[in-house]
C-alpha cells in the first residue's frame, strides 16, 4: 500500500536510539507515580513541569517563564495595546518576518561572542535543524551522492540526511585514541572509501559542538577541514545547534569565524560552499516551537532553500513571540550566561557521580550530555556485548541511555548520557542507580583497577548480581522473594531497611520457565516498586 519512498528503511526508527525512547514511553519514571520507572537519559534536550505521568524539564525554563510573565503583550499578541491577531493570522510570506530574522542574526552573533556578524538576508527559516539539514541535502546533492560525517554522530542524521533525499553517509572514523578528534588522514580515508563505493562526495557535515561528544572543534580541526574541502571542491555543512551550550574552555569557534581567520582563501570558492545550520531547540530549550535556520553565503543556495522551506515553515505567531524575547538584549545576555553556568554545574554533578562509580567521561566543554566510557563493563569487546549492557541498563537499572553504536561509534562500550532534561533529584537518582549497578557487577574500571561486586552500604535495596545466588537453584531465589514479600505485606519492613537479598533480573529471566519463578517475577516488580518508593520518600 505504501510507496517505495515511505517504506524506505533508512528512517532508523528501529535503532536502539529510538527503541530506548519507546521503552521509556511505556514505563516513564515519575517521582510520585512511578518511582521505579525508566529515567530518560537519551534525550538531548534542555527541556520543570510535571504532569501526572511525566515531567518536562528545562534547566532554564524559569528564566524564560519570568520574561513571559513580565511581557504579557508578547503572548497575548498585542503591540501598544492593539491586537496583532489579524496581522499574524494572515501573514504568509515564506521568507519569514524580517524583524525576526534580524533578531536571530543578532542572537547568533551574541552566542559567538560577536566575533562574527550574520546578515539576516542570508538566513532561511526552517522547522528546526531537522528540516534545515534535509533541505541542504536536497539543495547540494543528488540521490546517491555522499556526505562525509565524523563518527560518532547524532543518530537522527540517518533519517534527516538520507531518508527522503537518497543521500548516502560515509563515516569519517574518529577514535578514542585522540579523543575522537578529526584528523587529515581520517578525512582522506573517508573520501577514498566513498570513491571506492562509486559515490560522488558532495561535502562534509560536522556538528560543532559535537553531539554526542560534548566537545567543540579545535582550530586545527577546523583548518584541516577547510583546506580539505577547498582542495576537493566540496561543501561544508556545520550544524551549530549546540553553540550556545559551550560552558567551559576552550571557547567555541564557529566555522564562520574559522573561515574569516583562515589565510589565503580568496580564490578557492569555498566561501560559497560553507553553510551553517542552527535552531533554538537546544540553546533556548524550545524544540517544540520548531524554529531552525540555514545560513549561507551562497545566494543560489539561499534562494533554493527558501523555496523549499514552504514545506516546513515557522508559524508567524512563533516568530512574533520569539522576536520579542530576542529583542530584549539584556535579557538574552543574562539568559545565555545563566544557562551556561547551570549546564556546567549539572554536567559536573553527573561526571563526579559517575567517577565515584569508577566510570570516566570524555572531557567536555559543551552540550547537554556526556560521552561515557563503559568499556570496562562489557563482557567482551564487541557490539553484541554493548547491546547486552545497554539492555541491562535500560531494563534492570531503569535508565534509557544511548549506546555508542546508535551514534555509529567505531568502538564498543561508549554511551551518551543526557543530564539537562531532568531535575537535580532525578539526576541524583540516576547516578545512584548506576552506582548500585556497577557495585553489583564488579569488573575493571576505566583505569584498569578491579572493582569487586560489593554489598551496598546505602540504606536501600540494591538488586545486585551476587555470585553465590547466581548458582542458586530457582526455588531458593523464589523462596527469598517469598520471604521479602511476606515481610512487606506484614509491614515488618520500614523505610530505609536494608534487605539482605541479592539477585538480578537476569537470574529470574534465565529461570523464567519455572512456574514458581514466573509468578514471583511479577511479585518482585511490585516489591521493588514499593521499596524504591519508600527510599525516595523517606531517605
Ligand atoms: C546535532 C543535531 N542536529 C539536529 C537536531 C535536530 O534539532 P531540531 O529540534 O532543531 O530539529 C538535533 C537534535 O537533537 C541534534 O542533536
Amino acid at each position: 500500500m505504501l510507496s517505495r519512498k515511505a517504506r524506505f528503511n533508512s528512517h532508523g526508527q528501529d535503532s536502539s536510539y529510538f527503541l530506548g525512547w519507546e521503552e521509556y514511553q511505556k514505563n516513564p519514571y515519575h517521582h510520585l507515580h512511578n518511582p521505579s520507572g525508566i529515567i530518560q537519559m537519551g534525550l538531548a534536550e534542555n527541556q520543570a513541569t510535571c504532569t501526572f505521568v511525566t515531567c518536562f524539564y528545562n534547566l532554564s525554563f524559569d528564566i524564560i517563564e519570568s520574561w513571559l510573565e513580565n511581557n504579557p503583550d508578547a503572548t497575548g499578541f498585542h503591540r501598544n495595546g492593539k491586537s496583532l491577531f489579524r496581522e499574524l493570522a494572515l501573514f504568509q510570506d515564506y521568507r519569514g518576518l524580517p524583524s525576526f530574522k534580524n533578531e536571530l542574526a543578532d542572537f547568533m552573533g551574541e552566542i559567538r561572542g560577536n566575533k562574527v556578524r550574520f546578515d539576516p538576508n542570508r538566513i532561511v527559516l526552517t522547522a528546526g535543524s531537522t528540516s534545515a539539514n534535509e533541505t541542504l541535502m536536497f539543495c547540494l546533492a543528488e540521490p546517491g551522492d555522499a556526505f562525509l560525517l565524523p563518527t560518532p554522530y547524532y543518530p537522527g542524521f540517518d533519517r534527516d540526511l538520507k531518508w527522503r533525499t537518497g543521500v548516502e553517509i560515509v563515516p569519517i572514523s574518529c577514535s578514542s585514541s585522540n579523543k575522537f578528534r578529526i584528523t587529515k588522514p581520517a578525512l582522506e580515508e573517508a573520501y577514498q572509501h566513498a570513491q571506492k563505493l562509486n559515490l560522488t562526495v558532495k561535502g562534509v557535515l560536522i556538528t560543532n559542538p559535537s553531539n554526542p561528544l560534548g566537545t567543540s572543534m579545535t582550530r586545527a580541526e577546523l583548518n584541516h577541514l577547510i583546506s580539505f574541502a577547498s582542495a576537493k571542491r566540496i561543501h561544508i555543512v556545520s550544524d551549530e545547534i549546540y553553540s550556545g551550550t559551550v560552558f567551559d574552555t576552550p571557547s567555541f569557534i564557529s566555522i564562520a569565524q574559522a573561515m574569516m581567520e583562515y589565510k589565503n582563501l580568496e580564490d578557492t570558492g569555498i566561501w560559497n560552499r560553507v553553510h551553517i545550520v542552527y535552531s533554538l531547540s537546544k540553546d533556548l530549550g524550545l524544540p517544540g516551537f520548531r524554529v531552525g535556520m540555514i545560513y549561507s553565503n551562497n545566494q543560489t543556495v539561499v534562494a533554493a532553500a527558501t523555496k523549499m522551506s514552504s514545506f516546513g515553515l515557522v508559524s508567524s505567531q512563533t516568530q512574533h513571540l520569539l522576536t520579542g524575547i530576542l529583542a530584549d538584549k539584556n535579557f538574552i545576555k543574562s539568559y545565555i550566561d545563566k544557562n551556561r553556568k547551570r549546564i556546567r554545574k549539572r554536567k559536573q554533578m553527573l561526571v563526579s557521580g559517575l567517577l565515584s562509580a569508577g566510570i570516566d567521561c570524555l572531557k567536555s566543554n559543551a552540550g547537554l550530555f556526556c560521552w561515557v566510557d563503559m568499556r570496562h563493563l562489557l563482557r567482551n569487546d564487541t557490539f553484541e556485548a554493548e547491546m547486552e549492557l545497554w539492555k541491562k541498563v535500560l531494563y534492570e537499572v531503569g535508565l534509557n541511555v544511548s549506546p555508542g553504536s546508535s551514534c555509529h561509534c567505531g568502538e564498543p562500550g561508549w554511551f551518551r548520557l543526557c543530564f539537562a532534561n531532568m531535575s537535580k533529584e532525578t539526576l541524583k537518582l540516576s547516578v545512584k542507580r548506576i552506582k548500585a549497578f556497577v557495585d553489583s557487577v564488579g569488573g575493571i574500571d576505566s583505569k584498569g583497577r578491579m572493582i569487586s561486586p560489593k554489598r551496598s552500604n546505602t540504606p536501600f535495596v540494591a538488586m545486585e548480581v551476587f555470585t553465590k545466588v547466581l548458582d542458586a537453584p530457582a526455588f531458593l531465589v523464589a523462596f527469598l522473594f517469598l520471604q521479602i514479600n511476606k515481610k512487606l505485606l506484614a509491614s515488618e519492613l520500614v523505610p530505609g531497611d536494608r534487605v539482605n537479598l541479592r539477585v538480578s533480573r537476569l537470574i529470574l529471566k534465565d529461570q523464567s520457565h519455572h512456574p514458581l519463578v514466573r509468578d514471583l517475577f511479577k511479585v518482585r516488580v511490585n516489591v521493588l516498586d514499593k521499596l524504591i518508593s519508600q527510599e525516595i520518600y523517606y531517605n
Side-chain angles (χ1 to χ4, degrees):
M1 182 180 110
L2 288 175
S3 70
R4 210 164 349 119
K5 179 90 334 191
R7 289 196 316 264
F8 190 43
N9 202 18
S10 74
H11 178 276
Q13 91 258 21
D14 43 4
S15 101
S16 46
Y17 181 71
F18 292 111
L19 287 181
W21 287 13
E22 272 172 33
E23 290 305 313
Y24 163 76
Q25 298 289 356
K26 288 184 210 157
N27 180 21
Y29 167 80
H30 187 287
H31 65 295
L32 292 177
H33 307 299
N34 191 18
S36 66
I38 296 175
I39 298 174
Q40 174 62 294
M41 300 188 92
L43 193 58
E45 266 172 18
N46 189 2
Q47 287 187 359
T49 307
C50 284
T51 65
F52 187 77
V53 286
T54 187
C55 289
F56 301 107
Y57 189 87
N58 173 324
L59 274 180
S60 300
F61 260 168
D62 58 315
I63 313 177
I64 295 185
E65 278 168 345
S66 78
W67 187 92
L68 294 174
E69 251 167 56
N70 294 330
N71 294 275
D73 263 13
T75 42
F77 305 116
H78 278 75
R79 190 188 294 131
N80 304 326
K82 281 202 178 140
S83 171
L84 291 171
F85 170 75
R86 292 180 179 207
E87 196 181 308
L88 292 173
L90 293 175
F91 180 79
Q92 51 187 315
D93 183 339
Y94 62 94
R95 287 165 300 183
L97 284 173
S99 53
F100 178 53
K101 286 160 82 172
N102 287 342
E103 296 307 337
L104 208 48
D106 280 1
F107 181 61
M108 290 191 43
E110 184 67 40
I111 280 182
R112 286 155 188 78
N114 291 312
K115 289 178 191 144
V116 268
R117 303 291 310 157
F118 294 90
D119 174 357
N121 295 316
R122 294 176 180 178
I123 289 180
V124 180
L125 295 181
T126 58
S129 286
T130 302
S131 169
N133 279 316
E134 188 192 53
T135 302
L136 273 175
M137 291 305 113
F138 273 123
C139 290
L140 306 178
E142 304 294 344
D145 287 347
F147 259 76
L148 311 180
L149 265 74
T151 61
Y153 62 77
Y154 161 57
F157 282 150
D158 291 320
R159 171 198 61 201
D160 306 349
L161 308 183
K162 290 164 59 175
W163 187 35
R164 301 196 300 185
T165 63
V167 166
E168 299 288 340
I169 293 177
V170 175
I172 301 168
S173 296
C174 302
S175 82
S176 59
S177 61
N178 71 343
K179 303 189 175 9
F180 299 95
R181 295 283 170 204
I182 302 171
T183 61
K184 268 196 220 170
L187 282 165
E188 193 57 49
E189 201 180 303
Y191 191 86
Q192 300 303 336
H193 182 59
Q195 289 204 316
K196 270 196 204 128
L197 297 172
N198 274 330
L199 300 172
T200 305
V201 176
K202 281 298 170 77
V204 182
L205 186 145
I206 53 165
T207 307
N208 183 26
S210 159
N211 174 11
L213 299 175
T215 53
S216 59
M217 284 175 70
T218 61
R219 187 175 294 277
E221 281 177 291
L222 289 164
N223 286 348
H224 290 329
L225 183 65
I226 294 168
S227 73
F228 176 77
S230 303
K232 304 282 189 213
R233 306 210 153 264
I234 58 176
H235 295 269
I236 298 177
V237 174
S238 178
D239 181 336
E240 301 188 356
I241 189 170
Y242 293 99
S243 47
T245 67
V246 181
F247 51 78
D248 214 338
T249 53
S251 56
F252 175 61
I253 309 173
S254 163
I255 188 74
Q257 185 187 342
M259 289 281 295
M260 239 171 45
E261 293 164 1
Y262 194 92
K263 306 223 168 45
N264 309 324
L265 274 183
E266 286 77 19
D267 299 329
T268 60
I270 185 81
W271 275 104
N272 266 327
R273 296 199 305 272
V274 173
H275 322 280
I276 296 178
V277 165
Y278 185 57
S279 102
L280 301 182
S281 297
K282 312 296 174 184
D283 290 353
L284 283 189
L286 303 173
F289 277 28
R290 309 308 305 141
V291 182
M293 51 163 277
I294 295 166
Y295 186 88
S296 176
N297 286 321
N298 188 323
Q299 278 307 338
T300 314
V301 172
V302 170
T306 306
K307 279 194 269 174
M308 279 188 198
S309 70
S310 291
F311 297 106
L313 293 177
V314 183
S315 78
S316 48
Q317 70 267 44
T318 301
Q319 293 186 52
H320 168 76
L321 171 61
L322 291 169
T323 306
I325 299 179
L326 296 179
D328 188 339
K329 305 292 182 207
N330 288 338
F331 168 76
I332 284 297
K333 266 193 182 57
S334 127
Y335 173 88
I336 294 172
D337 186 49
K338 281 189 193 153
N339 187 41
R340 281 180 176 148
K341 285 185 179 139
R342 289 182 186 188
I343 299 173
R344 178 159 83 199
K345 229 168 143 182
R346 199 49 77 75
K347 176 227 148 179
Q348 205 43 49
M349 247 180 90
L350 178 60
V351 169
S352 51
L354 289 173
L355 205 59
S356 67
I359 297 176
D360 267 346
C361 301
L362 184 76
K363 188 171 181 302
S364 65
N365 67 330
L368 308 169
F369 31 76
C370 289
W371 187 238
V372 180
D373 184 357
M374 300 212 216
R375 285 177 293 179
H376 57 291
L377 297 174
L378 296 186
R379 188 173 44 81
N380 56 34
D381 188 24
T382 62
F383 285 109
E384 287 73 43
E386 179 178 285
M387 281 326 276
E388 262 173 42
L389 179 59
W390 175 69
K391 283 185 187 156
K392 269 192 215 169
V393 172
L394 181 65
Y395 296 112
E396 294 178 34
V397 186
L399 302 175
N400 177 37
V401 302
S402 308
S405 51
S406 70
C407 305
H408 301 268
C409 183
E411 295 170 25
W414 292 87
F415 290 80
R416 189 192 71 167
L417 271 65
C418 300
F419 53 73
N421 60 326
M422 66 189 75
S423 69
K424 204 157 51 180
E425 289 68 35
T426 311
L427 185 60
K428 275 189 192 159
L429 178 64
S430 311
V431 168
K432 206 167 179 178
R433 286 186 183 182
I434 294 174
K435 278 178 76 169
F437 172 68
V438 174
D439 283 351
S440 74
V441 294
I444 295 170
D445 76 8
S446 48
K447 303 236 164 22
R449 295 172 303 221
M450 278 295 293
I451 312 170
S452 51
K454 63 181 178 198
R455 285 167 169 269
S456 166
N457 55 8
T458 48
F460 70 94
V461 179
M463 301 301 287
E464 295 179 344
V465 181
F466 193 51
T467 41
K468 277 187 199 153
V469 182
L470 255 176
D471 294 325
F475 74 85
L476 177 57
V477 175
F479 174 71
L480 286 169
F481 272 117
L482 269 180
Q483 292 306 307
I484 189 173
N485 200 36
K486 260 184 5 208
K487 281 191 176 187
L488 263 178
L489 291 178
S491 300
E492 281 176 42
L493 286 173
V494 292
D497 259 3
R498 259 180 79 188
V499 181
N500 197 7
L501 174 74
R502 290 155 189 282
V503 286
S504 84
R505 236 170 244 215
L506 271 188
I507 308 160
L508 290 173
K509 273 193 184 151
D510 285 347
Q511 311 206 22
S512 56
H513 55 277
H514 194 294
L516 187 57
V517 172
R518 213 174 41 229
D519 285 341
L520 285 162
F521 187 61
K522 286 184 210 137
V523 172
R524 189 199 62 85
V525 174
N526 297 336
V527 173
L528 237 192
D529 281 354
K530 210 159 171 183
L531 288 169
I532 288 176
S533 55
Q534 284 171 348
E535 177 239 326
I536 286 166
Y537 293 136
Y538 300 114
N539 267 350

